[in-house]
Amino acid sequence: MTPVRAAAGPAASARPVEAGPENRIPLDVTTETASDGAADVTGRAARRTELMAVTRRLKDQDRQADIDRIHADFDANAAERAEYLRQMNVLRDMAMEQQKHDDEILKKWISLI
């Protein structure tokens, strides 16, 4: 249906208005506002939810990076400690061999007397 505009004078009768953008009658603002408002709220809620999810993911990644760093530090310290223990075992074995050798030399000296 074509919108109708009332004429200003008594001689003018109601006639159809041409459908140009300048002649269109604006729609009732309240009919569109409720759905636009709901869509806007829904959009903002979706964006906020997505932002919260991204923030949570970043915090989880940071926490996981910290945990990985702690694991790596622990592994490095455990490997270093294992190496020290291995070296101590080698040195203890060498000391035992040296003590056995010294005991044999002492026995030979005693036998010479």
Side-chain angles (χ1 to χ4, degrees):
M1 181 171 167
T2 308
V4 177
R5 187 182 335 165
S13 62
R15 63 177 195 257
V17 178
E18 295 181 22
E22 65 279 350
N23 294 328
R24 291 196 181 152
I25 297 173
L27 296 174
D28 185 12
V29 181
T30 58
T31 59
E32 294 287 321
T33 305
S35 64
D36 286 347
D40 187 41
V41 168
T42 304
R44 283 187 297 180
R47 283 191 300 274
R48 181 168 171 81
T49 303
E50 184 178 347
L51 179 63
M52 288 171 58
V54 168
T55 303
R56 171 52 80 190
R57 212 171 317 137
L58 288 174
K59 285 181 181 179
D60 288 344
Q61 288 175 352
D62 288 344
R63 188 176 304 123
Q64 188 61 43
D66 289 342
I67 290 171
D68 290 345
R69 182 186 47 78
I70 290 168
H71 282 230
D73 290 346
F74 177 81
D75 291 343
N77 288 337
E80 186 176 2
R81 185 178 188 312
E83 180 63 22
Y84 286 145
L85 290 174
R86 188 191 68 74
Q87 289 176 2
M88 285 175 43
N89 286 339
V90 168
L91 289 174
R92 187 181 63 236
D93 291 344
M94 287 174 53
M96 283 299 266
E97 290 296 323
Q98 183 65 41
Q99 190 174 4
K100 286 179 187 176
H101 183 66
D102 290 346
D103 284 347
E104 284 186 28
I105 292 176
L106 183 62
K107 286 179 187 177
K108 288 183 184 179
W109 277 100
I110 292 175
S111 68
L112 286 174
I113 298 179

